[in-house]
Amino acid sequence: MTANSQSPKVVTSCRVIAASAERIFELIADPARQPRWDGNDNLAEAPEGQRVSAVGEAFTVKLTQGSVRENRVVEFEEGRRIAWLPSEPGKQPPGHLWRWELEPTADGRTQVCHTYDWSRLTDENRLPRARATTEDKLRASLDRLAELAES
């Protein structure tokens, strides 16, 4: 077994951001804003007017390499939690999930946890990219998100 096959299939990074959960959540739940904080440098753009508000909704983003992803929202609690399953438009999701969880702190800041879960990924072509999505990449998104939310 190689080191790559032993990569954790659920990766999480957390940090405290000096902004309200509501402000941070707006940056996450509005896909048009996501390319500004994407630490994977994978998102190029997303159409305006797709702000997520419920489980079952879907939004699209254009990736830096030119393809489009449809993201189906599978968890949603306004201001607290959002998760989606990406897929090619019109296809079943291959089984990887992105999740954001926000917990306000007593001092007005917010603990933010970002998780990438590829434990159910079925598309072998996506495994190298999934293995490359490390805690450092998630932390880069958190750091960029913090910079935007705190400004």
Side-chain angles (χ1 to χ4, degrees), residues 25-89:
F25 197 79
E26 282 304 316
L27 293 168
I28 300 167
D30 182 352
R33 295 172 156 189
Q34 292 177 3
R36 294 177 60 200
W37 51 254
D38 172 39
N40 286 313
D41 295 321
N42 193 38
L43 304 179
E45 63 185 359
E48 295 283 341
Q50 299 188 88
R51 203 295 193 175
V52 176
S53 60
V55 167
E57 294 181 352
F59 63 92
T60 59
V61 295
K62 184 176 180 181
L63 304 182
T64 53
Q65 42 90 343
S67 62
V68 173
R69 288 293 174 267
E70 179 178 82
N71 297 284
R72 298 176 192 168
V73 179
V74 295
E75 298 174 20
F76 187 87
E77 182 182 350
E78 182 67 41
R80 293 296 183 100
R81 183 173 33 90
I82 185 171
W84 57 83
L85 296 167
S87 67
E88 293 179 27

Side-chain angles (χ1 to χ4, degrees), residues 120-135:
R120 295 182 180 174
L121 187 61
T122 57
D123 183 348
E124 290 190 18
N125 294 324
R126 296 180 190 274
L127 292 176
R129 178 80 179 195
R131 288 185 188 108
T133 305
T134 61
E135 187 178 344

Side-chain angles (χ1 to χ4, degrees), residues 7-24:
S7 300
K9 293 184 177 184
V10 179
V11 183
T12 300
S13 184
C14 299
R15 74 164 277 182
V16 174
I17 297 177
S20 70
E22 292 79 15
R23 178 167 171 77
I24 298 164

